[in-house]
Amino acid sequence: MNNFLLDFLALGAIVSGILVITSKNPVISVLFLISVFVNVAGYLVLLGVGFIGISYIVVYVGAVTVLFLFVIMMLNLQLAELNAVGSEYTQNLPLGAILGSVFLFELTSVLPPVLGQSFSQVMLGVLTTIHSNLLGKTDYNNVNDVHLAFQSLNIDTAFTSTSGLQIQSIGAMLYTHAAIWLILAGVILLLAMISPIVLSMNRK
Amino acid sequence: MLTISLISLLIAVPLFSYRITPDLFNRITSLSLAFAGYLSGFFHVTNLSQGIEVFLLVVGSIILISWANFSINTSRYGSETPTISEYSLLIIFTTIGGSLLISSSDIVSMFLSIELQSFAVYVLATLYRNSESATAAGLKYFLLGGLSSSLILLGTALIYSNTGLTHFDSIYNLLSVEDIDSGVFRGVQLGIVLIGVGFLFKVAAAPFHNWAPDVYDGTVLGLSQYKIKRLLTYSTISHVGFLLLALSMNTQESVESFIFYLVQYTITNVNVFIVLLALGYIISNTPYDIEFIEQLKSQFGQNPFLSVSFAVCLFSIAGIPPLIGFFAKQIVLYSSMNENNASFIGYYFLSITAILVSVISAFYYLKIVQAMYFEKSTSFSEIRSSDGERSTIELSESTLYKATSVSNLHSVAIATLTIVIVLFIFQPIILLNSCHLLALSLFYY
């Protein structure tokens, strides 16, 4: 059941990700972007990475995409112009499909087969079947392993299994072991604060 | 780390001394000292990283020196100042990122420093926000830089998900005992391929270079290229090819040639751009850059010294013998034809391709030199003289500019770099020995 939910959320995230870039109206694509983030947040929460999942909702859905929505509404874009861009985009569709399938093939041929793992496959299972039918290879189920690589099974799970709240373990990690990364990230954020001022300041 | 704690303590001691007790300050200091010792593992300083960092900082200071002081003339041209005070701030950010990247020894620190370095450069590209090309360049750079960063991030995520490690040394140790056909090994391989693609994208190496000319053109088009910065970008792409050829061999000799090539190319390229900047200040009469090769026509008559140093740089980039660029190309090719590599036919092929390409690219540089020395300037001076009254005013203004625009430091920087390029042949020991020592420290440390 849990695995089915995970697959469902992943599928939802991918489909709404595709809809973000295909929908003509920018407001609707931002709404789909929100749906991507909600799906990913649900995926993370189900995986057990609750804090990061919830902070996805708080930061991305709560602040960033709503800001996007306001910006797009204020820009007052004309739909006719966007439609013209949309027709250019469909010209590149075959190229994108070729590149995407080459990339997928590379991923599947390099990533290792992991023994003894079987999964209920919704989307990825279909892909594996297509892959094995088209290429005549049945001895491995590698597409599944892309999926598997991001499952928590073979990842270092010490992060989630420590006693106490997740936020405590993240904080303990962040302020002791990884303090220099925190400082570095702080410098990046400082830069991100300064650069909009530099770029938009009115100099007299 | 220690510097940060020093600065924050300096600020905190006078400001909050009535709220924080002295022994609390002592505890904070002891904590920061402990962390400064404990945290150094994420950044690994070696002789090599230190040497390159010194070079990076020196080059940064040379670049900043060469900005002309237009403060006298800015009032006349309104808000279009050639230098913006935030420029130096962003340079500091990108330099911090660069020097951290050199010494980073952990995936997370590597990614964070790349982001710090490239974010600052995106903003630098967009700094002249009134110009359309700069905005377009910055946006394009930002989008494509974001793409390459996400590729790097995907690669690091794959490595982490397969090994559970982020430290370079630990990954190396794990892989050295792992079977080549094992799942972990192949997963890490894929991650490294993705990271490599991301990095090649960032340095604009050959298959991933299409974005670079547009970006260079905005911030500051081969055979049919008439825009000078585009041409220089294409030359950068071919030089990156040379660097990658040197990097691909991983012998002590090739590392030495790699460092030497990097140093000489940086010096020459910096010189090209600051000479171009100086010419731009002088020719265009307003603080704008030179865009087209046409604008350089017959500059030898008007600005002989600048033209000579520009020509020297171009010859050096093309690899004409007595200049530093020739020795760099020679040393790379020599190390690729080394007897250790003799069994691999591919290196011969690569070397021959590199030679052919550098011969072809010499044509472009010679075209600029030809325009500068032998062609009569056509459009620009005539246009100016056609409207009679304004030309006299502009003439007086342009003489004023010639007196003030190129600062002393700027000309000293150009002169020093040009002399380094020309006179390298008489004293090659300094550069070659330091490159040799850096390469040795990598292999026999």
Side-chain angles (χ1 to χ4, degrees), chain A residues 66-149:
Chain A
V66 173
L67 201 66
F68 277 174
L69 210 57
F70 277 122
V71 167
I72 285 168
M73 283 170 175
M74 283 168 79
L75 278 178
N76 192 20
L77 293 166
Q78 299 299 322
L79 273 180
E81 293 172 25
L82 293 163
N83 284 338
V85 179
S87 65
E88 281 174 28
Y89 152 77
T90 42
Q91 285 174 357
N92 293 329
L93 209 57
L95 185 67
I98 292 168
L99 282 179
S101 50
V102 166
F103 185 70
L104 194 67
F105 177 72
E106 290 284 327
L107 272 179
T108 51
S109 46
V110 175
L111 266 194
V114 175
L115 303 170
Q117 310 276 3
S118 69
F119 273 92
S120 62
Q121 305 151 355
V122 180
M123 172 85 183
L124 293 164
V126 176
L127 276 179
T128 316
T129 339
I130 293 171
H131 191 70
S132 58
N133 283 339
L134 283 181
L135 299 165
K137 293 189 175 180
T138 49
D139 55 337
Y140 61 91
N141 51 350
N142 277 337
V143 185
N144 199 15
D145 303 325
V146 185
H147 180 55
L148 188 67

Side-chain angles (χ1 to χ4, degrees), chain B residues 246-318:
Chain B
L247 201 60
S248 66
M249 284 169 286
N250 195 30
T251 59
Q252 185 235 317
E253 210 172 18
S254 75
V255 169
E256 186 186 336
S257 67
F258 171 74
I259 298 168
F260 181 61
Y261 201 98
L262 196 65
V263 168
Q264 74 83 19
Y265 180 65
T266 315
I267 288 174
T268 323
N269 214 16
V270 165
N271 202 12
V272 165
F273 274 101
I274 63 179
V275 168
L276 210 57
L277 206 62
L279 280 173
Y281 288 157
I282 290 172
I283 296 171
S284 57
N285 203 19
T286 47
Y288 286 119
D289 301 337
I290 292 185
E291 273 189 52
F292 305 101
I293 297 174
E294 290 234 314
Q295 280 169 287
L296 288 174
K297 276 184 180 171
S298 81
Q299 279 304 305
F300 181 60
Q302 295 167 22
N303 307 296
F305 290 110
L306 279 181
S307 320
V308 166
S309 18
F310 198 55
V312 162
C313 298
L314 290 177
F315 281 138
S316 168
I317 288 180

